[in-house]
Amino acid sequence: QVQLVESGGGLVPTGDSLRLSCAASGQTFSNYVMGWFRQAPGKEREFVAAIRWSGGSTDYVDSVKGRFTIYRDKALNTVYLQMNSLKPEETAVYYCAARKFDIYRNPQMYDYWGQGTKVTVSS
């Protein structure tokens, strides 16, 4: 059974940085895609970024390109989301998710989810 545990959220001022971590266990993840999603109050969960565990190819939503970086540490079975130049509208609960094989932006295509970590960006 895949388990995902996020950490690293917090309260930061506009323009600051945070690094989120997602520790994965319960499987060999070589065929997996790991994604980061976020959900603001009253809004739908939205795609942020994803990475193929093998090969490391990535995808980002346009609004975070150039500011966010997703990467993985295979030895630690951990996926990270480095977030720079954060904006107040990016305040949300950030979730890590996993699925096999292909990158999708639709959260319904992901099979496993973490509990989320809250990010608050103050204006």
Side-chain angles (χ1 to χ4, degrees), residues 20-118:
L20 305 182
S21 301
C22 173
S25 61
Q27 277 284 352
T28 301
F29 290 95
S30 56
N31 291 326
Y32 276 74
V33 166
M34 309 298 289
W36 283 100
F37 293 79
R38 63 190 176 192
Q39 188 166 18
K43 295 190 175 182
E44 293 186 352
R45 193 168 297 189
E46 66 169 352
F47 172 81
V48 177
I51 185 168
R52 278 198 176 89
W53 197 267
S54 294
S57 58
T58 58
D59 186 29
Y60 296 91
V61 68
D62 284 351
S63 62
V64 307
K65 285 180 181 177
R67 298 187 298 119
F68 289 15
T69 303
I70 187 171
Y71 61 100
R72 82 272 191 247
D73 185 322
K74 290 183 177 181
L76 295 179
N77 260 15
T78 299
V79 176
Y80 301 95
L81 185 68
Q82 176 66 44
M83 306 187 295
N84 298 329
S85 302
L86 281 161
K87 304 174 182 180
E89 56 265 37
E90 293 176 317
T91 293
V93 177
Y94 283 70
Y95 296 91
C96 177
R99 58 161 283 116
K100 282 191 174 180
F101 305 124
D102 296 322
I103 291 178
Y104 286 88
R105 295 189 173 193
N106 184 345
Q108 295 182 357
M109 300 299 290
Y110 286 74
D111 300 305
Y112 305 99
W113 291 86
Q115 82 288 350
T117 185
K118 188 172 183 180

